[in-house]
Amino acid sequence: MPVEGGGKTDMERIGLFSEMEYITVGDKYVSPFNRPFNEAASKNKQMLPGGSKKMSNLQAGYFDPHFVRIFEGEGYVNLNQVKRRDMMQAAKKNLSKAFLPSSGDKRPCGLGSYYGTIGGPVPFFSAQSRPREKYEAPGRNLYTSPGKKGTGYGYANITIGEQFSHAADLYEAPKQNYKKVNEEHHRLLKGAPFKLNLHPRDYFDANPYFSEEPLPPIKREEKKEAISKTFKPSSPGKKPGGMKAGTFDPYPSHSADPYVTKLAKISGKDDKIFHPPSGPKSRPVESIMTLNVRRALNSKNYKTASVPSY
């Protein structure tokens, strides 16, 4: 479109010859699932190859109607003759004789020699020594006397300075100095130490078990006299030897008892016989889980009941 203030269109300003075509405008939408794979295969006539052929010695296994040779009617060619013919034609193009150098290449006769090189020896790599200025020594170093031998413990005159003079040191000098300072401190004090007339009270009550009365004398426990001798019976115990010699009482007298069989007493109809009552009989009992299931799910609410989530 033309722009105000200029005669060029937008396409001319961009530099394109024409605007790009809109190919898809107005086309019908075709789903990729319903679109055929090869549209040309369903239009016009198609090529019918007539089936696959198998390789064989017959002519039916080839595309051509008859067998065609690659080289037919050609003559024998010698490769050496062809090469020589090419060399002779190339030699005719030479204007003069072949270039031959005046002498062969020279080979170095040893490591570091420049024989056979183009430029010859390089002065920078020369082995000759360059002229140098005369060396002047910077001067002598500081000379000192050798160090004195000794470790410093028990050896005299081995330090740089003078030897320390011996000074006597009292054995109890700190104690005597503290005594002098303490006496000077008490001398400067004036009067007795300051004390309050009010006696401080305790935060808690006094001890109720505390008494200023003297304690009673300690009661000593009476020692019981231990029996020194052990008790011994007057005579040892008697052992039963098939009789009652070891008992306190004498053996009882034998009473005559005739051997008579005792018959069991037969109870009559009038006698009341005790019959214990029968105990509780066992019967099938349902579990607590079954009762809870029947209570939560029954014939009335089985359609509306929901499964609990644990």
mmCIF file of all heavy atoms in Angstrom, residues 227-246:
data_model
loop_
_atom_site.group_PDB
_atom_site.id
_atom_site.type_symbol
_atom_site.label_atom_id
_atom_site.label_comp_id
_atom_site.label_asym_id
_atom_site.label_seq_id
_atom_site.Cartn_x
_atom_site.Cartn_y
_atom_site.Cartn_z
ATOM 1 N N ILE A 227 23.879 -67.493 124.187
ATOM 2 C CA ILE A 227 24.068 -68.828 124.776
ATOM 3 C C ILE A 227 25.291 -69.441 124.129
ATOM 4 O O ILE A 227 25.369 -69.603 122.912
ATOM 5 C CB ILE A 227 22.824 -69.685 124.524
ATOM 6 C CG1 ILE A 227 21.598 -69.014 125.150
ATOM 7 C CG2 ILE A 227 23.010 -71.090 125.082
ATOM 8 C CD1 ILE A 227 20.288 -69.700 124.835
ATOM 9 N N SER A 228 26.201 -69.750 124.957
ATOM 10 C CA SER A 228 27.457 -70.281 124.437
ATOM 11 C C SER A 228 27.324 -71.724 124.007
ATOM 12 O O SER A 228 27.847 -72.119 122.970
ATOM 13 C CB SER A 228 28.570 -70.128 125.479
ATOM 14 O OG SER A 228 28.202 -70.839 126.667
ATOM 15 N N LYS A 229 26.555 -72.566 124.819
ATOM 16 C CA LYS A 229 26.455 -73.982 124.517
ATOM 17 C C LYS A 229 25.205 -74.241 123.705
ATOM 18 O O LYS A 229 24.169 -73.630 123.911
ATOM 19 C CB LYS A 229 26.419 -74.802 125.803
ATOM 20 C CG LYS A 229 27.689 -74.678 126.641
ATOM 21 C CD LYS A 229 27.578 -75.525 127.894
ATOM 22 C CE LYS A 229 28.845 -75.405 128.740
ATOM 23 N NZ LYS A 229 28.757 -76.234 129.979
ATOM 24 N N THR A 230 25.275 -75.171 122.764
ATOM 25 C CA THR A 230 24.130 -75.568 121.950
ATOM 26 C C THR A 230 23.290 -76.579 122.701
ATOM 27 O O THR A 230 23.792 -77.331 123.556
ATOM 28 C CB THR A 230 24.615 -76.164 120.629
ATOM 29 O OG1 THR A 230 25.487 -77.267 120.925
ATOM 30 C CG2 THR A 230 25.354 -75.132 119.819
ATOM 31 N N PHE A 231 21.985 -76.623 122.383
ATOM 32 C CA PHE A 231 21.066 -77.553 123.031
ATOM 33 C C PHE A 231 21.259 -78.946 122.474
ATOM 34 O O PHE A 231 21.331 -79.133 121.257
ATOM 35 C CB PHE A 231 19.617 -77.082 122.804
ATOM 36 C CG PHE A 231 18.607 -78.093 123.245
ATOM 37 C CD1 PHE A 231 18.350 -78.303 124.606
ATOM 38 C CD2 PHE A 231 17.934 -78.859 122.307
ATOM 39 C CE1 PHE A 231 17.420 -79.245 124.988
ATOM 40 C CE2 PHE A 231 17.018 -79.799 122.710
ATOM 41 C CZ PHE A 231 16.743 -79.994 124.054
ATOM 42 N N LYS A 232 21.348 -79.876 123.334
ATOM 43 C CA LYS A 232 21.468 -81.275 122.951
ATOM 44 C C LYS A 232 20.406 -82.071 123.684
ATOM 45 O O LYS A 232 20.224 -81.897 124.877
ATOM 46 C CB LYS A 232 22.850 -81.829 123.313
ATOM 47 C CG LYS A 232 23.975 -81.209 122.486
ATOM 48 C CD LYS A 232 25.305 -81.840 122.856
ATOM 49 C CE LYS A 232 26.427 -81.231 122.014
ATOM 50 N NZ LYS A 232 27.749 -81.851 122.337
ATOM 51 N N PRO A 233 19.666 -82.894 122.974
ATOM 52 C CA PRO A 233 18.652 -83.717 123.659
ATOM 53 C C PRO A 233 19.322 -84.721 124.606
ATOM 54 O O PRO A 233 20.491 -85.059 124.452
ATOM 55 C CB PRO A 233 17.917 -84.385 122.501
ATOM 56 C CG PRO A 233 18.894 -84.375 121.366
ATOM 57 C CD PRO A 233 19.700 -83.144 121.536
ATOM 58 N N SER A 234 18.501 -85.192 125.541
ATOM 59 C CA SER A 234 19.050 -86.124 126.547
ATOM 60 C C SER A 234 19.430 -87.456 125.927
ATOM 61 O O SER A 234 20.405 -88.078 126.336
ATOM 62 C CB SER A 234 18.025 -86.325 127.678
ATOM 63 O OG SER A 234 16.824 -86.859 127.121
ATOM 64 N N SER A 235 18.666 -87.886 124.975
ATOM 65 C CA SER A 235 18.950 -89.164 124.329
ATOM 66 C C SER A 235 18.598 -89.020 122.858
ATOM 67 O O SER A 235 17.702 -88.263 122.487
ATOM 68 C CB SER A 235 18.128 -90.290 124.970
ATOM 69 O OG SER A 235 16.752 -90.013 124.850
ATOM 70 N N PRO A 236 19.250 -89.722 121.988
ATOM 71 C CA PRO A 236 18.945 -89.612 120.551
ATOM 72 C C PRO A 236 17.588 -90.206 120.233
ATOM 73 O O PRO A 236 17.031 -90.986 121.014
ATOM 74 C CB PRO A 236 20.076 -90.390 119.897
ATOM 75 C CG PRO A 236 20.513 -91.360 120.937
ATOM 76 C CD PRO A 236 20.335 -90.668 122.269
ATOM 77 N N GLY A 237 17.022 -89.827 119.103
ATOM 78 C CA GLY A 237 15.729 -90.312 118.679
ATOM 79 C C GLY A 237 15.779 -91.782 118.324
ATOM 80 O O GLY A 237 16.796 -92.300 117.886
ATOM 81 N N LYS A 238 14.623 -92.427 118.540
ATOM 82 C CA LYS A 238 14.536 -93.857 118.275
ATOM 83 C C LYS A 238 14.070 -94.078 116.846
ATOM 84 O O LYS A 238 13.239 -93.351 116.312
ATOM 85 C CB LYS A 238 13.552 -94.504 119.250
ATOM 86 C CG LYS A 238 13.978 -94.395 120.702
ATOM 87 C CD LYS A 238 12.957 -95.022 121.630
ATOM 88 C CE LYS A 238 13.376 -94.873 123.096
ATOM 89 N NZ LYS A 238 12.382 -95.486 124.003
ATOM 90 N N LYS A 239 14.627 -95.085 116.251
ATOM 91 C CA LYS A 239 14.299 -95.430 114.874
ATOM 92 C C LYS A 239 13.293 -96.560 114.865
ATOM 93 O O LYS A 239 13.429 -97.508 115.617
ATOM 94 C CB LYS A 239 15.559 -95.850 114.113
ATOM 95 C CG LYS A 239 16.587 -94.752 113.990
ATOM 96 C CD LYS A 239 17.802 -95.241 113.229
ATOM 97 C CE LYS A 239 18.841 -94.125 113.097
ATOM 98 N NZ LYS A 239 20.044 -94.582 112.372
ATOM 99 N N PRO A 240 12.251 -96.460 114.007
ATOM 100 C CA PRO A 240 11.284 -97.571 113.934
ATOM 101 C C PRO A 240 11.909 -98.763 113.243
ATOM 102 O O PRO A 240 12.403 -98.645 112.133
ATOM 103 C CB PRO A 240 10.132 -96.978 113.125
ATOM 104 C CG PRO A 240 10.754 -95.900 112.321
ATOM 105 C CD PRO A 240 11.880 -95.350 113.128
ATOM 106 N N GLY A 241 11.874 -99.882 113.905
ATOM 107 C CA GLY A 241 12.455 -101.093 113.335
ATOM 108 C C GLY A 241 11.401 -102.136 113.085
ATOM 109 O O GLY A 241 11.520 -103.264 113.561
ATOM 110 N N GLY A 242 10.318 -101.780 112.377
ATOM 111 C CA GLY A 242 9.219 -102.716 112.142
ATOM 112 C C GLY A 242 8.222 -102.702 113.290
ATOM 113 O O GLY A 242 7.301 -103.514 113.311
ATOM 114 N N MET A 243 8.377 -101.797 114.235
ATOM 115 C CA MET A 243 7.451 -101.696 115.355
ATOM 116 C C MET A 243 7.321 -100.225 115.713
ATOM 117 O O MET A 243 7.895 -99.370 115.038
ATOM 118 C CB MET A 243 7.986 -102.486 116.560
ATOM 119 C CG MET A 243 9.365 -102.086 116.987
ATOM 120 S SD MET A 243 9.943 -103.049 118.359
ATOM 121 C CE MET A 243 11.532 -102.314 118.649
ATOM 122 N N LYS A 244 6.593 -99.909 116.781
ATOM 123 C CA LYS A 244 6.362 -98.536 117.191
ATOM 124 C C LYS A 244 7.263 -98.147 118.350
ATOM 125 O O LYS A 244 6.840 -97.541 119.333
ATOM 126 C CB LYS A 244 4.892 -98.357 117.601
ATOM 127 C CG LYS A 244 3.911 -98.671 116.484
ATOM 128 C CD LYS A 244 4.120 -97.742 115.290
ATOM 129 C CE LYS A 244 3.131 -98.030 114.178
ATOM 130 N NZ LYS A 244 3.320 -97.144 113.036
ATOM 131 N N ALA A 245 8.546 -98.509 118.288
ATOM 132 C CA ALA A 245 9.463 -98.184 119.382
ATOM 133 C C ALA A 245 9.873 -96.721 119.351
ATOM 134 O O ALA A 245 10.308 -96.186 120.364
ATOM 135 C CB ALA A 245 10.703 -99.083 119.289
ATOM 136 N N GLY A 246 9.731 -96.063 118.200
ATOM 137 C CA GLY A 246 10.180 -94.680 118.120
ATOM 138 C C GLY A 246 9.083 -93.674 118.323
ATOM 139 O O GLY A 246 9.302 -92.487 118.144
#
